[in-house]
Amino acid sequence: MDALVEAFIRDTETLTDEQLTDFKMGWVGQLPMAILDAAYSQQTRYLTKNGKGLLPRLRRFKETFPGAESDLRVFLEVPESEIASIVGRGVTAGRSKASAVREAAQNLVGLEPPVHTAEDYNHEDASHVKAYRSVHGLGKVTHNYLGMLLGYPDTKPDTWIIRAVQRVADEAGLQVAVNVEIARFVVTSSHELARRGATVTHFDHAIWLAERLRAEQNPGLNKVH
């Protein structure tokens, strides 16, 4: 694995300062928005060239339901149908994303002591982790991203990150089938050694941007769905 980490560090030397500083720390202090973003970001374009995508829909939700952005009790007053209408009718693991985020919110509020806001939430607390990750359709990757959105340094080894690590492995002639765990290890280790970006989250986001740009500039590559 050391050879892959070394190759990945060399590959990421091309990341620009603009890419490495693009991540704006998501929804720090806004737990409901972070949960929405984490769940809905699966297989979704965050922002398109014509100003559409997930981010504008999240901003509209925040504007439509004041208070729901920061307190899960207020958030749970919003009907599932309204969440779906504004943020989207996408599905995850055969269920609506709107129902998944409401279940995660209900699980957190139902803890003892209850989690109502970002101040109550501890990303490392086992009961908080279980409350989120036990929801069918959510899981480890989106939980990592939830922490990132709330300001916890982490990496989200999604399709683009896995693709970046796999590409480097293939180009280096390494016989490695990259999965979520390997991708997370390589990105985290590379950041620890090379210190590119203020946090591993900034580094992860820069890799994501660069790999997506690479695919856009090379239409012959398989598209991510």
Side-chain angles (χ1 to χ4, degrees):
M1 202 62 67
D2 288 348
L4 179 53
V5 171
E6 291 174 3
F8 198 73
I9 289 173
R10 289 193 297 272
D11 185 81
T12 54
E13 288 176 353
T14 60
L15 295 176
T16 67
D17 289 342
E18 182 179 3
Q19 289 169 332
L20 288 163
T21 58
D22 185 79
F23 186 71
K24 301 301 188 295
M25 302 308 287
W27 305 99
V28 174
Q30 301 173 70
L31 181 57
M33 297 304 301
I35 293 174
L36 277 171
D37 196 327
Y40 270 90
S41 66
Q42 300 177 86
Q43 305 300 315
T44 301
R45 289 299 297 270
Y46 204 64
L47 184 64
T48 67
K49 292 180 179 179
N50 60 0
K52 296 183 179 181
L54 176 58
L55 181 57
R57 298 197 300 271
L58 290 171
R59 288 172 174 167
R60 182 184 167 201
F61 178 88
K62 181 177 177 178
E63 294 170 356
T64 304
F65 298 104
E69 80 283 357
S70 58
D71 192 315
L72 290 177
R73 290 166 295 188
V74 181
F75 175 77
L76 285 170
E77 294 175 359
V78 181
E80 181 181 325
S81 59
E82 289 292 333
I83 297 174
S85 176
I86 295 176
V87 189
R89 303 185 186 281
V91 298
T92 176
R95 66 180 301 182
S96 72
K97 292 179 179 179
S99 69
V101 297
R102 279 187 56 85
E103 183 179 338
Q106 289 167 342
N107 288 351
L108 287 165
V109 170
L111 293 175
E112 185 57 47
V115 174
H116 296 150
T117 67
E119 289 70 27
D120 303 326
Y121 178 77
N122 182 345
H123 195 58
E124 307 299 329
D125 186 299
S127 65
H128 296 189
V129 174
K130 183 179 180 181
Y132 180 89
R133 289 182 54 180
S134 65
V135 177
H136 182 66
L138 305 181
K140 186 175 182 179
V141 173
T142 64
H143 180 256
N144 289 349
Y145 188 44
L146 171 65
M148 293 164 65
L149 292 166
L150 291 170
Y152 293 85
D154 206 339
T155 179
K156 178 195 176 190
D158 66 0
T159 304
W160 290 109
I161 300 299
I162 292 173
R163 171 177 286 186
V165 179
Q166 187 66 68
R167 174 181 55 76
V168 171
D170 293 344
E171 291 173 354
L174 302 173
Q175 300 301 310
V176 178
V178 178
N179 56 24
V180 169
E181 289 73 22
I182 291 174
R184 191 164 190 260
F185 173 81
V186 170
V187 172
T188 301
S189 299
S190 297
H191 179 261
E192 289 176 351
L193 292 170
R195 292 297 173 185
R196 304 288 324 271
T199 69
V200 68
T201 302
H202 291 81
F203 184 56
D204 173 278
H205 186 65
I207 295 164
W208 185 88
L209 288 172
E211 199 63 23
R212 188 181 66 172
L213 179 61
R214 185 189 301 272
E216 291 175 349
Q217 293 177 339
N218 296 274
L221 295 176
N222 292 328
K223 293 183 178 181
V224 174
H225 297 286

